[in-house]
Amino acid sequence: MTITGESDEGTARAWAALGGAPQLAACVGYRGAPGLGEGPLPVRELARATVGVCALAAAELGAVRAGGGAADVAPLVVDEGAVATAFVSERHLRIAGRRPSGFAPLSGFWRAADGWVRTHANYPHHRAALVRALELPSATPRDLRAAVAARPAAGVQELAYAQGALAVAVAPAYGARQPLVEAAGGPGGTGRPLGPAPAALPAAGVRVLDLTRVIAGPVATRTLGLLGADVLRIDAPGLPEADDTYADTGFGKRSALLDLADAADREVFEGLLASADVVVSGYRPGALERFGLGAADLLERRPGLVVAQLCAWGRHGPWAGRRGFDSLVQAGYGIAARYASADGTPGALPAQALDHGTGYLMAAAVLRALADGGGRALRFSLAGTASWLVHDLAAVQPGAPGYAPGPWLREGDSGYGPLRHAVSPLGDWPAGPSRWGTGRPVWLPR
């Protein structure tokens, strides 16, 4: 394979943000017809750069585990068709021939008295909270539309937040700059020696405790699973994941249920933590700290851990503790307004690119931390990725047309029945996902 020779500033910037050796960024090249180029923002560049640095970090870890270093990383090529297909993997998913469910009826844009509001009510508890917050007569779009129209957008947002619902006023301008990644804590180089690994599985033998939900975090952990890690996802029994979501993001991992408030379950969890190499979390700031599982707590107990944390809005400022999803961050960060239609209705990126892009960045950061010997706390946010997209990335010249997803789709069995799915841009998973919550909370033998 031949590297294109096309300079990619986005890849170089992302690699630098991850602390990688600058000369390695030139090892990544791109080929194939691009996708995700529709619209005013450089989504194509975000997508290929985040996948590119993930592939590069995997190659770096492989070189280190083979006894070498950065100088031993060979050139690699990422196919843009595979990237574009993976970034809209949920659209290509078919479960026993059925299309997965999309946004729920109460999720979407609604005109307020002075602007627009974006709601997210895909989960039953979020829908119930929205109905309660706005005192809706019924959980119907008609009643929600009327309730929002009678209030200012910021008023709807704050009423929803106070009741645990999810609604964000559509911002007319881009938000302030935020870091793409923050590294903190840990002395570095204190993790368990990993030893050699198969070339295609640079994360082989690495144990990843997955405390993430929905898309961004699960994209990170399914990628680590593809690269050989033993990924064990843990969820609370009372907070089920949507089957359609897990059918898309559950590749490369096992899934078990533990209630951290239950003494017996907490003991099991502590046993898992004792021999984990990586902890990836996707809960808002403060949610895990109340269980003593914040990054500082974990690194104090296990200085060699790699702890990667994800939140929606960043860890500083008045919104740091708020829940959020890709669609809400697009609305609150000014992206939805940038994609508005001619009549002023807000729009959206051509993919849930904040989710997918952040997922690949997180996986890349974990791989880099492992190559450096572990002992690292890494912080990401969807808003940080949004900031990078709107403030720092620039579009490159359009590539040749003709992108088609067909070569990057596969069919196989899963815990949900026959599945058609998108492959990872880094390779094929050997098997489909099992059903959510049906695994045992134990590590596989190393």
Side-chain angles (χ1 to χ4, degrees):
M1 293 186 292
T2 303
I3 293 182
T4 61
E6 178 184 358
S7 174
D8 188 66
E9 184 179 352
T11 302
R13 287 192 175 200
W15 186 246
L18 297 174
Q23 68 273 17
L24 285 188
C27 291
V28 183
Y30 301 93
R31 69 176 181 189
L36 307 177
E38 318 93 83
L41 290 174
V43 179
R44 170 204 175 189
E45 288 67 32
L46 179 150
R48 74 179 198 169
T50 55
V51 172
V53 295
C54 191
L56 182 56
E60 180 188 36
L61 178 59
V64 169
R65 295 191 69 174
D72 301 295
V73 175
L76 57 96
V77 178
V78 172
D79 193 289
E80 293 207 53
V83 172
T85 304
F87 263 62
V88 291
S89 59
E90 66 279 359
R91 299 181 197 172
H92 296 297
L93 186 69
R94 297 292 182 273
I95 307 168
R98 174 183 64 82
R99 289 177 179 269
S101 56
F103 282 104
L106 298 191
S107 297
F109 292 108
W110 311 91
R111 189 185 292 276
D114 61 350
W116 290 86
V117 170
R118 175 80 195 209
T119 59
H120 194 290
N122 286 11
Y123 288 90
H125 60 292
H126 290 152
R127 181 178 64 246
L130 187 63
V131 170
R132 183 172 62 251
L134 299 180
E135 300 179 337
L136 302 183
S138 66
T140 62
R142 182 184 63 182
D143 284 341
L144 178 58
R145 185 176 298 109
V148 173
R151 296 176 169 91
V156 174
Q157 171 185 282
E158 296 308 310
L159 280 171
Y161 171 66
Q163 293 290 332
L166 295 167
V168 172
V170 174
Y174 294 148
R177 288 181 180 272
Q178 294 205 34
L180 186 61
V181 57
E182 294 178 282
T190 56
R192 177 179 62 85
L194 297 179
L201 300 173
V206 173
R207 289 176 170 173
V208 177
L209 202 52
D210 179 1
L211 309 179
T212 70
R213 293 178 61 79
V214 195
I215 298 178
V219 165
T221 53
R222 77 179 182 186
T223 303
L224 295 173
L226 173 70
L227 297 171
D230 179 13
V231 180
L232 180 59
R233 174 167 161 170
I234 300 295
D235 286 276
L239 196 62
E241 180 64 280
D243 283 350
D244 288 0
T245 299
Y246 195 74
D248 182 41
T249 62
F251 290 86
K253 66 190 75 172
R254 295 170 296 118
S255 167
L257 305 180
L258 291 174
D259 182 355
L260 297 184
D262 176 84
D265 280 6
R266 180 58 186 261
E267 184 177 359
V268 173
F269 181 85
E270 291 293 336
L272 295 170
L273 183 60
S275 60
D277 301 297
V278 178
V279 176
V280 184
S281 68
Y283 293 87
R284 70 187 189 280
L288 291 176
E289 280 78 358
R290 64 193 178 99
F291 293 105
L293 298 174
D297 301 312
L298 292 172
L299 286 170
E300 182 177 356
R301 295 161 58 186
R302 295 279 313 286
L305 273 176
V306 176
V307 182
Q309 297 175 300
L310 167 70
C311 65
W313 301 102
R315 295 188 173 264
H316 313 287
W319 282 38
R322 296 197 175 193
R323 299 174 178 87
F325 292 91
D326 182 305
S327 59
L328 298 179
V329 175
Q330 288 190 42
Y333 210 79
I335 293 171
R338 185 74 174 87
Y339 278 77
S341 60
D343 67 359
T345 303
L349 297 173
Q352 294 188 74
L354 306 183
D355 267 333
H356 287 271
T358 306
Y360 287 110
L361 285 170
M362 290 180 72
V366 168
L367 295 166
R368 282 234 62 253
L370 291 170
D372 284 344
R376 192 76 52 81
L378 305 156
R379 294 174 175 174
F380 291 85
S381 71
L382 300 182
T385 304
S387 173
W388 188 54
L389 172 65
V390 305
H391 292 303
D392 298 312
L393 281 177
V396 301
Q397 290 297 316
Y403 156 70
W408 312 109
L409 301 179
R410 302 288 185 271
E411 295 186 0
D413 294 327
S414 76
Y416 297 92
L419 214 64
R420 189 191 80 177
H421 64 91
V423 301
S424 167
L426 278 66
D428 284 2
W429 288 282
S434 58
R435 293 189 71 87
W436 176 85
T438 58
R440 294 176 58 226
V442 296
W443 295 118
L444 299 176
R446 281 196 173 107

Short mmCIF file of all heavy atoms in Angstrom, two decimals, residues 54-94:
data_model
loop_
_atom_site.label_atom_id
_atom_site.label_comp_id
_atom_site.label_asym_id
_atom_site.label_seq_id
_atom_site.Cartn_x
_atom_site.Cartn_y
_atom_site.Cartn_z
N CYS A 54 -5.97 6.86 16.07
CA CYS A 54 -6.23 5.60 16.77
C CYS A 54 -5.43 4.47 16.13
O CYS A 54 -4.80 3.67 16.83
CB CYS A 54 -7.73 5.29 16.75
SG CYS A 54 -8.20 3.94 17.84
N ALA A 55 -5.43 4.42 14.80
CA ALA A 55 -4.63 3.41 14.11
C ALA A 55 -3.14 3.60 14.40
O ALA A 55 -2.39 2.63 14.59
CB ALA A 55 -4.89 3.48 12.61
N LEU A 56 -2.70 4.84 14.46
CA LEU A 56 -1.29 5.13 14.74
C LEU A 56 -0.92 4.73 16.16
O LEU A 56 0.15 4.16 16.40
CB LEU A 56 -1.03 6.61 14.51
CG LEU A 56 0.41 7.10 14.70
CD1 LEU A 56 1.38 6.32 13.82
CD2 LEU A 56 0.50 8.59 14.39
N ALA A 57 -1.81 5.02 17.12
CA ALA A 57 -1.54 4.63 18.51
C ALA A 57 -1.47 3.12 18.66
O ALA A 57 -0.66 2.60 19.43
CB ALA A 57 -2.61 5.22 19.43
N ALA A 58 -2.32 2.41 17.92
CA ALA A 58 -2.26 0.94 17.95
C ALA A 58 -0.93 0.45 17.40
O ALA A 58 -0.31 -0.47 17.96
CB ALA A 58 -3.43 0.37 17.16
N ALA A 59 -0.49 1.06 16.31
CA ALA A 59 0.80 0.67 15.73
C ALA A 59 1.96 0.98 16.68
O ALA A 59 2.91 0.20 16.81
CB ALA A 59 1.00 1.39 14.40
N GLU A 60 1.88 2.11 17.35
CA GLU A 60 2.93 2.47 18.31
C GLU A 60 2.99 1.47 19.46
O GLU A 60 4.08 1.02 19.85
CB GLU A 60 2.69 3.88 18.85
CG GLU A 60 3.74 4.34 19.86
CD GLU A 60 3.38 5.64 20.52
OE1 GLU A 60 2.18 5.88 20.78
OE2 GLU A 60 4.30 6.43 20.81
N LEU A 61 1.82 1.11 20.02
CA LEU A 61 1.81 0.14 21.11
C LEU A 61 2.35 -1.21 20.63
O LEU A 61 3.10 -1.88 21.36
CB LEU A 61 0.39 -0.01 21.66
CG LEU A 61 0.22 -1.05 22.78
CD1 LEU A 61 1.10 -0.72 23.98
CD2 LEU A 61 -1.25 -1.16 23.20
N GLY A 62 1.97 -1.60 19.42
CA GLY A 62 2.49 -2.85 18.87
C GLY A 62 4.00 -2.83 18.76
O GLY A 62 4.68 -3.83 19.07
N ALA A 63 4.55 -1.70 18.32
CA ALA A 63 6.01 -1.59 18.19
C ALA A 63 6.68 -1.66 19.55
O ALA A 63 7.72 -2.32 19.71
CB ALA A 63 6.37 -0.28 17.49
N VAL A 64 6.10 -1.01 20.55
CA VAL A 64 6.67 -1.04 21.89
C VAL A 64 6.64 -2.45 22.47
O VAL A 64 7.61 -2.93 23.05
CB VAL A 64 5.91 -0.05 22.80
CG1 VAL A 64 6.28 -0.26 24.27
CG2 VAL A 64 6.20 1.38 22.39
N ARG A 65 5.51 -3.15 22.28
CA ARG A 65 5.40 -4.49 22.82
C ARG A 65 6.29 -5.49 22.08
O ARG A 65 6.58 -6.57 22.61
CB ARG A 65 3.94 -4.94 22.81
CG ARG A 65 3.06 -4.11 23.73
CD ARG A 65 1.69 -4.69 23.92
NE ARG A 65 1.72 -5.93 24.69
CZ ARG A 65 0.63 -6.58 25.11
NH1 ARG A 65 -0.58 -6.08 24.82
NH2 ARG A 65 0.74 -7.70 25.78
N ALA A 66 6.71 -5.13 20.89
CA ALA A 66 7.65 -5.98 20.15
C ALA A 66 9.10 -5.68 20.51
O ALA A 66 10.02 -6.27 19.94
CB ALA A 66 7.44 -5.80 18.65
N GLY A 67 9.29 -4.76 21.46
CA GLY A 67 10.63 -4.45 21.91
C GLY A 67 11.25 -3.24 21.24
O GLY A 67 12.42 -2.95 21.46
N GLY A 68 10.45 -2.53 20.43
CA GLY A 68 10.98 -1.37 19.73
C GLY A 68 10.43 -0.08 20.30
O GLY A 68 10.13 0.04 21.49
N GLY A 69 10.28 0.91 19.43
CA GLY A 69 9.79 2.21 19.84
C GLY A 69 9.22 2.96 18.66
O GLY A 69 8.88 2.36 17.62
N ALA A 70 9.14 4.28 18.79
CA ALA A 70 8.52 5.10 17.75
C ALA A 70 9.19 4.92 16.39
O ALA A 70 8.53 4.93 15.35
CB ALA A 70 8.55 6.56 18.17
N ALA A 71 10.50 4.74 16.40
CA ALA A 71 11.22 4.60 15.13
C ALA A 71 10.83 3.33 14.37
O ALA A 71 11.11 3.21 13.17
CB ALA A 71 12.73 4.60 15.38
N ASP A 72 10.17 2.39 15.06
CA ASP A 72 9.81 1.12 14.44
C ASP A 72 8.38 1.09 13.92
O ASP A 72 7.91 0.04 13.44
CB ASP A 72 10.01 -0.01 15.44
CG ASP A 72 11.44 -0.10 15.92
OD1 ASP A 72 12.32 -0.40 15.09
OD2 ASP A 72 11.68 0.18 17.12
N VAL A 73 7.66 2.21 14.00
CA VAL A 73 6.28 2.26 13.50
C VAL A 73 6.31 2.37 11.98
O VAL A 73 6.91 3.29 11.42
CB VAL A 73 5.52 3.45 14.11
CG1 VAL A 73 4.13 3.56 13.49
CG2 VAL A 73 5.42 3.28 15.63
N ALA A 74 5.68 1.42 11.32
CA ALA A 74 5.66 1.39 9.86
C ALA A 74 4.53 2.29 9.34
O ALA A 74 3.54 2.53 10.03
CB ALA A 74 5.46 -0.04 9.37
N PRO A 75 4.66 2.80 8.11
CA PRO A 75 3.57 3.58 7.52
C PRO A 75 2.28 2.78 7.48
O PRO A 75 2.28 1.56 7.29
CB PRO A 75 4.09 3.88 6.11
CG PRO A 75 5.57 3.81 6.23
CD PRO A 75 5.84 2.72 7.23
N LEU A 76 1.15 3.45 7.64
CA LEU A 76 -0.15 2.79 7.60
C LEU A 76 -1.13 3.65 6.83
O LEU A 76 -0.94 4.87 6.68
CB LEU A 76 -0.65 2.51 9.01
CG LEU A 76 -0.78 3.70 9.97
CD1 LEU A 76 -2.20 4.24 9.99
CD2 LEU A 76 -0.35 3.32 11.37
N VAL A 77 -2.16 3.01 6.31
CA VAL A 77 -3.14 3.69 5.47
C VAL A 77 -4.53 3.44 6.02
O VAL A 77 -4.89 2.31 6.35
CB VAL A 77 -3.05 3.19 4.00
CG1 VAL A 77 -4.10 3.88 3.15
CG2 VAL A 77 -1.66 3.44 3.44
N VAL A 78 -5.33 4.49 6.11
CA VAL A 78 -6.72 4.41 6.56
C VAL A 78 -7.62 4.67 5.36
O VAL A 78 -7.40 5.62 4.61
CB VAL A 78 -6.99 5.45 7.66
CG1 VAL A 78 -8.47 5.51 8.01
CG2 VAL A 78 -6.16 5.13 8.91
N ASP A 79 -8.62 3.83 5.18
CA ASP A 79 -9.55 4.00 4.07
C ASP A 79 -10.70 4.91 4.49
O ASP A 79 -11.40 4.65 5.46
CB ASP A 79 -10.10 2.64 3.62
CG ASP A 79 -10.80 2.75 2.27
OD1 ASP A 79 -11.90 3.35 2.23
OD2 ASP A 79 -10.28 2.24 1.28
N GLU A 80 -10.90 5.98 3.74
CA GLU A 80 -11.93 6.95 4.10
C GLU A 80 -13.34 6.40 3.94
O GLU A 80 -14.27 6.84 4.62
CB GLU A 80 -11.75 8.23 3.29
CG GLU A 80 -10.48 8.97 3.63
CD GLU A 80 -10.59 10.46 3.38
OE1 GLU A 80 -11.54 11.08 3.88
OE2 GLU A 80 -9.72 10.99 2.67
N GLY A 81 -13.52 5.44 3.05
CA GLY A 81 -14.82 4.81 2.93
C GLY A 81 -15.19 4.04 4.18
O GLY A 81 -16.33 4.09 4.65
N ALA A 82 -14.21 3.34 4.76
CA ALA A 82 -14.44 2.62 6.01
C ALA A 82 -14.75 3.59 7.14
O ALA A 82 -15.60 3.33 7.99
CB ALA A 82 -13.22 1.78 6.36
N VAL A 83 -14.06 4.72 7.15
CA VAL A 83 -14.29 5.73 8.19
C VAL A 83 -15.70 6.28 8.09
O VAL A 83 -16.44 6.35 9.09
CB VAL A 83 -13.26 6.87 8.07
CG1 VAL A 83 -13.62 8.02 9.01
CG2 VAL A 83 -11.86 6.37 8.35
N ALA A 84 -16.10 6.68 6.90
CA ALA A 84 -17.44 7.26 6.72
C ALA A 84 -18.53 6.27 7.08
O ALA A 84 -19.54 6.62 7.70
CB ALA A 84 -17.60 7.74 5.28
N THR A 85 -18.34 5.01 6.72
CA THR A 85 -19.34 3.98 7.04
C THR A 85 -19.43 3.78 8.54
O THR A 85 -20.53 3.70 9.11
CB THR A 85 -18.97 2.66 6.35
OG1 THR A 85 -18.85 2.87 4.94
CG2 THR A 85 -20.05 1.60 6.59
N ALA A 86 -18.29 3.71 9.22
CA ALA A 86 -18.29 3.48 10.66
C ALA A 86 -18.91 4.64 11.42
O ALA A 86 -19.54 4.44 12.47
CB ALA A 86 -16.86 3.24 11.14
N PHE A 87 -18.74 5.85 10.94
CA PHE A 87 -19.28 7.02 11.64
C PHE A 87 -20.80 7.11 11.57
O PHE A 87 -21.40 7.89 12.33
CB PHE A 87 -18.64 8.30 11.12
CG PHE A 87 -17.48 8.78 11.95
CD1 PHE A 87 -16.34 7.99 12.10
CD2 PHE A 87 -17.52 9.99 12.61
CE1 PHE A 87 -15.27 8.40 12.87
CE2 PHE A 87 -16.46 10.41 13.39
CZ PHE A 87 -15.32 9.62 13.53
N VAL A 88 -21.42 6.36 10.70
CA VAL A 88 -22.88 6.28 10.67
C VAL A 88 -23.29 4.82 10.82
O VAL A 88 -24.25 4.35 10.20
CB VAL A 88 -23.47 6.91 9.39
CG1 VAL A 88 -23.29 8.42 9.40
CG2 VAL A 88 -22.84 6.30 8.13
N SER A 89 -22.57 4.08 11.66
CA SER A 89 -22.81 2.64 11.79
C SER A 89 -24.24 2.33 12.19
O SER A 89 -24.81 1.32 11.75
CB SER A 89 -21.84 2.04 12.82
OG SER A 89 -21.98 2.66 14.10
N GLU A 90 -24.86 3.20 13.01
CA GLU A 90 -26.23 2.93 13.44
C GLU A 90 -27.22 2.98 12.28
O GLU A 90 -28.27 2.33 12.32
CB GLU A 90 -26.63 3.91 14.55
CG GLU A 90 -26.73 5.36 14.15
CD GLU A 90 -25.39 6.08 14.12
OE1 GLU A 90 -24.34 5.47 14.43
OE2 GLU A 90 -25.38 7.28 13.76
N ARG A 91 -26.90 3.72 11.24
CA ARG A 91 -27.80 3.80 10.08
C ARG A 91 -27.72 2.54 9.22
O ARG A 91 -28.67 2.19 8.52
CB ARG A 91 -27.46 5.02 9.23
CG ARG A 91 -27.61 6.33 9.96
CD ARG A 91 -27.28 7.49 9.04
NE ARG A 91 -27.04 8.71 9.81
CZ ARG A 91 -26.58 9.84 9.29
NH1 ARG A 91 -26.31 9.89 7.98
NH2 ARG A 91 -26.38 10.90 10.05
N HIS A 92 -26.57 1.88 9.24
CA HIS A 92 -26.40 0.66 8.44
C HIS A 92 -26.82 -0.60 9.19
O HIS A 92 -26.95 -1.66 8.58
CB HIS A 92 -24.93 0.53 8.02
CG HIS A 92 -24.45 1.63 7.12
ND1 HIS A 92 -24.99 1.84 5.88
CD2 HIS A 92 -23.50 2.58 7.30
CE1 HIS A 92 -24.38 2.88 5.31
NE2 HIS A 92 -23.47 3.35 6.16
N LEU A 93 -27.03 -0.48 10.47
CA LEU A 93 -27.36 -1.65 11.28
C LEU A 93 -28.72 -2.23 10.89
O LEU A 93 -29.70 -1.50 10.71
CB LEU A 93 -27.38 -1.25 12.77
CG LEU A 93 -27.55 -2.38 13.77
CD1 LEU A 93 -26.31 -3.26 13.80
CD2 LEU A 93 -27.82 -1.79 15.17
N ARG A 94 -28.77 -3.56 10.78
CA ARG A 94 -30.04 -4.27 10.61
C ARG A 94 -30.03 -5.44 11.58
O ARG A 94 -29.08 -6.23 11.62
CB ARG A 94 -30.21 -4.79 9.17
CG ARG A 94 -30.28 -3.69 8.13
CD ARG A 94 -31.54 -2.85 8.24
NE ARG A 94 -31.61 -1.83 7.21
CZ ARG A 94 -31.08 -0.61 7.30
NH1 ARG A 94 -30.41 -0.27 8.40
NH2 ARG A 94 -31.18 0.25 6.32
#
